[in-house]
Amino acid sequence: MHRPMQFINLLAHELMHARLAGMEHDVPGGEPAHELVTDLGCIIAGFGVFQLQAADDAGWFGYMTQPSRAYALSVFLQRRGLGIDTVTPYLSLQSRKLLAKANKNL
């Protein structure tokens, strides 16, 4: 509980495992891509800020790279008609830079 961003990210990731249970072979890449799809599913479900920032806070990149997370979050925001400024107050400088770069490349 000393790191709430990481805790929420962990909960979202584990709940996404439950959501995707039984579909491991239905997603592109099948079982080997399951963890990657789980992280991407968290971003699609609205937990992209947690995905991006928690990995930055922990110094851990997990199954997606930070630029990939930033790009997926940027797509998520764009598809919902939201600018990156809606989430930048919750991101570190490094995560902001990645998100701005991803947004520019869309």
Side-chain angles (χ1 to χ4, degrees), residues 7 22 25 45 74 94 100:
F7 180 68
H25 299 287
S74 184
Q94 178 64 26

Side-chain angles (χ1 to χ4, degrees), residues 30-48:
E31 178 66 35
H34 179 69
E35 291 292 345
L36 176 66
V37 170
T38 301
D39 279 353
L40 183 57
C42 290
I43 296 169
I44 292 167
F47 290 93

